[in-house]
Amino acid sequence: MRRKQAEIATDPVAFEAFYRRHVDALTRFLARRVDDPHTVADLVAEVFVAVLDSAHTYRAELGSEVAWLYGVARKTLSAERRRAYKRYQLTGRVRGRRTLDVDDIAELEERIDAERRARQAFEAMAELPKGERAVLELVVIDQLTVTEAALALGIGQGAAKVRLHRARKKLRNLPFVMSGASE
């Protein structure tokens, strides 16, 4: 599978198939974390560019394509947040966004609205330590297995299980965060 995955960087047909398989899940993943349609659209594109650059790093034996893709997306989102903060500090406003047409904005706003509860859950989890929060997000909200979450975060499966247990213990009084989770 590793060889097949690396093909997406050189074979347009393989990349298109990969893109079509994952674009909706990736857009939902980002819409749960970002409430601006322009930023979501830009990040989706940026993640797929990063996928082309890092396709050779995917290891099927460590987890699914989605787990790997979410790992790439988390790194891309982190980099974007750092850039946005620097721009904000330097200019007080964000510039240089590409123009979206009305249909694109409407579709992204709809997805952002659909992910409102997940953003509320993120706000409730804000007080958790970073490592615990990251595992909880990937398992409970993004529906990855603990093994896949560990892969996306670059940590061991045991560490992921411990972090998930600690996070759940701290958030027992928040049922909307914990619903639908499985270890």
Side-chain angles (χ1 to χ4, degrees), residues 52-67:
L52 288 172
D53 291 337
S54 62
H56 66 282
T57 67
Y58 174 70
R59 301 178 67 88
E61 66 272 10
L62 296 178
S64 69
E65 286 181 344
V66 171

PDB file of all heavy atoms in Angstrom, residues 52-67:
ATOM      1  N   LEU A  52       0.452  15.832  -1.486  1.00  0.00           N
ATOM      2  CA  LEU A  52       1.318  15.532  -2.629  1.00  0.00           C
ATOM      3  C   LEU A  52       2.788  15.515  -2.213  1.00  0.00           C
ATOM      4  O   LEU A  52       3.557  14.653  -2.640  1.00  0.00           O
ATOM      5  CB  LEU A  52       1.113  16.557  -3.741  1.00  0.00           C
ATOM      6  CG  LEU A  52      -0.192  16.454  -4.508  1.00  0.00           C
ATOM      7  CD1 LEU A  52      -0.354  17.642  -5.441  1.00  0.00           C
ATOM      8  CD2 LEU A  52      -0.270  15.152  -5.279  1.00  0.00           C
ATOM      9  N   ASP A  53       3.179  16.460  -1.370  1.00  0.00           N
ATOM     10  CA  ASP A  53       4.568  16.547  -0.927  1.00  0.00           C
ATOM     11  C   ASP A  53       4.957  15.435   0.037  1.00  0.00           C
ATOM     12  O   ASP A  53       6.129  15.070   0.106  1.00  0.00           O
ATOM     13  CB  ASP A  53       4.833  17.897  -0.241  1.00  0.00           C
ATOM     14  CG  ASP A  53       4.789  19.056  -1.210  1.00  0.00           C
ATOM     15  OD1 ASP A  53       4.980  18.835  -2.420  1.00  0.00           O
ATOM     16  OD2 ASP A  53       4.565  20.193  -0.743  1.00  0.00           O
ATOM     17  N   SER A  54       3.987  14.916   0.797  1.00  0.00           N
ATOM     18  CA  SER A  54       4.334  13.944   1.828  1.00  0.00           C
ATOM     19  C   SER A  54       3.744  12.557   1.604  1.00  0.00           C
ATOM     20  O   SER A  54       3.748  11.738   2.521  1.00  0.00           O
ATOM     21  CB  SER A  54       3.898  14.478   3.193  1.00  0.00           C
ATOM     22  OG  SER A  54       2.502  14.646   3.236  1.00  0.00           O
ATOM     23  N   ALA A  55       3.268  12.271   0.412  1.00  0.00           N
ATOM     24  CA  ALA A  55       2.653  10.967   0.131  1.00  0.00           C
ATOM     25  C   ALA A  55       3.592   9.813   0.451  1.00  0.00           C
ATOM     26  O   ALA A  55       3.157   8.748   0.896  1.00  0.00           O
ATOM     27  CB  ALA A  55       2.201  10.893  -1.328  1.00  0.00           C
ATOM     28  N   HIS A  56       4.867  10.026   0.284  1.00  0.00           N
ATOM     29  CA  HIS A  56       5.853   8.961   0.534  1.00  0.00           C
ATOM     30  C   HIS A  56       5.951   8.595   2.019  1.00  0.00           C
ATOM     31  O   HIS A  56       6.496   7.552   2.367  1.00  0.00           O
ATOM     32  CB  HIS A  56       7.228   9.389   0.020  1.00  0.00           C
ATOM     33  CG  HIS A  56       7.808  10.551   0.764  1.00  0.00           C
ATOM     34  ND1 HIS A  56       7.393  11.858   0.534  1.00  0.00           N
ATOM     35  CD2 HIS A  56       8.718  10.605   1.760  1.00  0.00           C
ATOM     36  CE1 HIS A  56       8.051  12.665   1.351  1.00  0.00           C
ATOM     37  NE2 HIS A  56       8.864  11.929   2.109  1.00  0.00           N
ATOM     38  N   THR A  57       5.388   9.406   2.918  1.00  0.00           N
ATOM     39  CA  THR A  57       5.485   9.127   4.354  1.00  0.00           C
ATOM     40  C   THR A  57       4.359   8.241   4.868  1.00  0.00           C
ATOM     41  O   THR A  57       4.425   7.770   5.999  1.00  0.00           O
ATOM     42  CB  THR A  57       5.490  10.433   5.186  1.00  0.00           C
ATOM     43  OG1 THR A  57       4.207  11.069   5.065  1.00  0.00           O
ATOM     44  CG2 THR A  57       6.598  11.373   4.737  1.00  0.00           C
ATOM     45  N   TYR A  58       3.338   8.015   4.054  1.00  0.00           N
ATOM     46  CA  TYR A  58       2.202   7.199   4.505  1.00  0.00           C
ATOM     47  C   TYR A  58       2.633   5.754   4.669  1.00  0.00           C
ATOM     48  O   TYR A  58       3.276   5.175   3.797  1.00  0.00           O
ATOM     49  CB  TYR A  58       1.036   7.296   3.522  1.00  0.00           C
ATOM     50  CG  TYR A  58      -0.092   6.356   3.883  1.00  0.00           C
ATOM     51  CD1 TYR A  58      -0.869   6.593   5.002  1.00  0.00           C
ATOM     52  CD2 TYR A  58      -0.348   5.222   3.129  1.00  0.00           C
ATOM     53  CE1 TYR A  58      -1.899   5.737   5.353  1.00  0.00           C
ATOM     54  CE2 TYR A  58      -1.376   4.360   3.470  1.00  0.00           C
ATOM     55  CZ  TYR A  58      -2.141   4.621   4.584  1.00  0.00           C
ATOM     56  OH  TYR A  58      -3.147   3.762   4.927  1.00  0.00           O
ATOM     57  N   ARG A  59       2.235   5.170   5.810  1.00  0.00           N
ATOM     58  CA  ARG A  59       2.541   3.767   6.101  1.00  0.00           C
ATOM     59  C   ARG A  59       1.229   3.077   6.483  1.00  0.00           C
ATOM     60  O   ARG A  59       0.727   3.287   7.588  1.00  0.00           O
ATOM     61  CB  ARG A  59       3.569   3.667   7.204  1.00  0.00           C
ATOM     62  CG  ARG A  59       4.875   4.368   6.861  1.00  0.00           C
ATOM     63  CD  ARG A  59       5.868   4.293   7.997  1.00  0.00           C
ATOM     64  NE  ARG A  59       6.325   2.943   8.224  1.00  0.00           N
ATOM     65  CZ  ARG A  59       7.364   2.387   7.600  1.00  0.00           C
ATOM     66  NH1 ARG A  59       8.038   3.080   6.716  1.00  0.00           N
ATOM     67  NH2 ARG A  59       7.722   1.156   7.862  1.00  0.00           N
ATOM     68  N   ALA A  60       0.721   2.260   5.570  1.00  0.00           N
ATOM     69  CA  ALA A  60      -0.583   1.615   5.774  1.00  0.00           C
ATOM     70  C   ALA A  60      -0.604   0.759   7.035  1.00  0.00           C
ATOM     71  O   ALA A  60      -1.648   0.650   7.683  1.00  0.00           O
ATOM     72  CB  ALA A  60      -0.943   0.762   4.557  1.00  0.00           C
ATOM     73  N   GLU A  61       0.517   0.176   7.395  1.00  0.00           N
ATOM     74  CA  GLU A  61       0.549  -0.693   8.575  1.00  0.00           C
ATOM     75  C   GLU A  61       0.343   0.091   9.879  1.00  0.00           C
ATOM     76  O   GLU A  61       0.046  -0.488  10.912  1.00  0.00           O
ATOM     77  CB  GLU A  61       1.856  -1.499   8.638  1.00  0.00           C
ATOM     78  CG  GLU A  61       3.114  -0.674   8.852  1.00  0.00           C
ATOM     79  CD  GLU A  61       3.756  -0.152   7.567  1.00  0.00           C
ATOM     80  OE1 GLU A  61       3.136  -0.253   6.477  1.00  0.00           O
ATOM     81  OE2 GLU A  61       4.876   0.358   7.640  1.00  0.00           O
ATOM     82  N   LEU A  62       0.475   1.399   9.833  1.00  0.00           N
ATOM     83  CA  LEU A  62       0.301   2.220  11.029  1.00  0.00           C
ATOM     84  C   LEU A  62      -1.112   2.788  11.157  1.00  0.00           C
ATOM     85  O   LEU A  62      -1.474   3.301  12.216  1.00  0.00           O
ATOM     86  CB  LEU A  62       1.311   3.381  11.039  1.00  0.00           C
ATOM     87  CG  LEU A  62       2.778   2.975  11.113  1.00  0.00           C
ATOM     88  CD1 LEU A  62       3.674   4.202  11.060  1.00  0.00           C
ATOM     89  CD2 LEU A  62       3.043   2.168  12.381  1.00  0.00           C
ATOM     90  N   GLY A  63      -1.904   2.741  10.104  1.00  0.00           N
ATOM     91  CA  GLY A  63      -3.267   3.256  10.190  1.00  0.00           C
ATOM     92  C   GLY A  63      -3.849   3.585   8.833  1.00  0.00           C
ATOM     93  O   GLY A  63      -3.201   3.457   7.804  1.00  0.00           O
ATOM     94  N   SER A  64      -5.065   4.065   8.871  1.00  0.00           N
ATOM     95  CA  SER A  64      -5.815   4.328   7.647  1.00  0.00           C
ATOM     96  C   SER A  64      -5.346   5.601   6.950  1.00  0.00           C
ATOM     97  O   SER A  64      -4.666   6.438   7.537  1.00  0.00           O
ATOM     98  CB  SER A  64      -7.304   4.470   7.987  1.00  0.00           C
ATOM     99  OG  SER A  64      -7.518   5.665   8.725  1.00  0.00           O
ATOM    100  N   GLU A  65      -5.775   5.743   5.702  1.00  0.00           N
ATOM    101  CA  GLU A  65      -5.499   6.971   4.948  1.00  0.00           C
ATOM    102  C   GLU A  65      -6.084   8.184   5.660  1.00  0.00           C
ATOM    103  O   GLU A  65      -5.467   9.243   5.696  1.00  0.00           O
ATOM    104  CB  GLU A  65      -6.123   6.885   3.545  1.00  0.00           C
ATOM    105  CG  GLU A  65      -5.432   5.993   2.583  1.00  0.00           C
ATOM    106  CD  GLU A  65      -6.111   5.985   1.205  1.00  0.00           C
ATOM    107  OE1 GLU A  65      -7.264   6.422   1.062  1.00  0.00           O
ATOM    108  OE2 GLU A  65      -5.456   5.522   0.263  1.00  0.00           O
ATOM    109  N   VAL A  66      -7.274   8.006   6.226  1.00  0.00           N
ATOM    110  CA  VAL A  66      -7.942   9.125   6.890  1.00  0.00           C
ATOM    111  C   VAL A  66      -7.131   9.596   8.091  1.00  0.00           C
ATOM    112  O   VAL A  66      -6.957  10.798   8.299  1.00  0.00           O
ATOM    113  CB  VAL A  66      -9.388   8.755   7.306  1.00  0.00           C
ATOM    114  CG1 VAL A  66     -10.001   9.815   8.188  1.00  0.00           C
ATOM    115  CG2 VAL A  66     -10.245   8.544   6.074  1.00  0.00           C
ATOM    116  N   ALA A  67      -6.614   8.664   8.878  1.00  0.00           N
ATOM    117  CA  ALA A  67      -5.804   9.051  10.039  1.00  0.00           C
ATOM    118  C   ALA A  67      -4.576   9.827   9.585  1.00  0.00           C
ATOM    119  O   ALA A  67      -4.224  10.858  10.167  1.00  0.00           O
ATOM    120  CB  ALA A  67      -5.397   7.819  10.838  1.00  0.00           C
TER     121      ALA A  67
END
